[in-house]
Amino acid sequence: MAHSALLLATLLAFCALPTVDGKLQLCEVETGQSSIILDIEESRGSSVAQHTNPPELPISGDPNDDITLELVFPKGKPTFLLDGKSLRLIHPLDRDEENLSHIVFQITCMVRSTRRKRNIPIIVRVSDVNDNPPMFINTPYETTVPEVAHEIRPSADVAE
């Protein structure tokens, strides 16, 4: 019985360890999370030069030697290309026009030596750049403000 308990404890301890010799296993997310969250600004005009933050995907392994990475976009056309561990925009992002707050896709990571694959969800949050001037409807607005006012009250009604 004691031998079984020791064996079980050893197996559980081994399975709970995310590292081998103090290093992350290949294709593991370096933050310890099950998904990766990145940030990017919407494009200014037709620019596609902006980078994600962080600039590289936090996945353990070298994509030139140890692992292969492949982007999977389940909905619609791809937004990014892979350049090593960096994402590069294919087309400009317009948060306002596209009502775009985030982009969700997956990356498939495969360990070259074992052919073991892992799908990692990726969420890229798109932040707004103040690139659209405010638009006013039914302009100009006109009102009068008396010079001598005894009460504090609104001098004009503004409808939203």
Side-chain angles (χ1 to χ4, degrees):
M1 183 75 166
H3 177 70
S4 297
L6 179 61
L7 180 61
L8 179 61
T10 303
L11 284 173
L12 288 174
F14 177 75
C15 292
L17 293 176
T19 62
V20 174
D21 297 331
K23 295 181 181 178
L24 284 172
Q25 293 186 25
L26 296 174
C27 290
E28 293 290 323
V29 179
E30 294 171 355
T31 61
Q33 302 295 315
S34 60
S35 61
I36 296 173
I37 299 175
L38 306 167
D39 294 295
I40 194 167
E41 281 189 348
E42 73 173 324
S43 299
R44 296 175 190 265
S46 61
S47 175
V48 292
Q50 65 269 39
H51 299 281
T52 60
N53 185 23
E56 288 194 343
L57 294 166
I59 299 173
S60 64
D62 182 347
N64 295 319
D65 296 325
D66 307 320
I67 61 173
T68 62
L69 299 172
E70 180 183 351
L71 299 178
V72 180
F73 289 87
K75 297 179 182 177
K77 62 182 180 176
T79 307
F80 297 98
L81 292 174
L82 267 174
D83 180 12
K85 288 186 182 181
S86 298
L87 297 175
R88 300 287 177 240
L89 276 173
I90 296 173
H91 56 81
L93 297 175
D94 189 337
R95 190 176 195 278
D96 301 314
E97 185 177 307
E98 301 170 32
N99 195 21
L100 183 66
S101 63
H102 60 280
I103 302 164
V104 179
F105 56 97
Q106 291 187 3
I107 190 161
T108 300
C109 182
M110 184 182 73
V111 179
R112 291 180 192 259
S113 62
T114 64
R115 316 263 319 144
R116 180 179 60 95
K117 289 185 178 183
R118 176 170 184 214
N119 289 328
I120 303 168
I122 309 285
I123 301 167
V124 180
R125 299 181 294 200
V126 181
S127 60
D128 192 30
V129 173
N130 193 9
D131 59 346
N132 296 319
M135 299 185 64
F136 297 99
I137 302 170
N138 300 326
T139 57
Y141 299 105
E142 293 183 21
T143 189
T144 58
V145 179
E147 283 189 44
V148 182
H150 297 290
E151 295 179 28
I152 300 174
R153 63 175 191 228
S155 59
D157 291 327
V158 179
E160 292 187 43

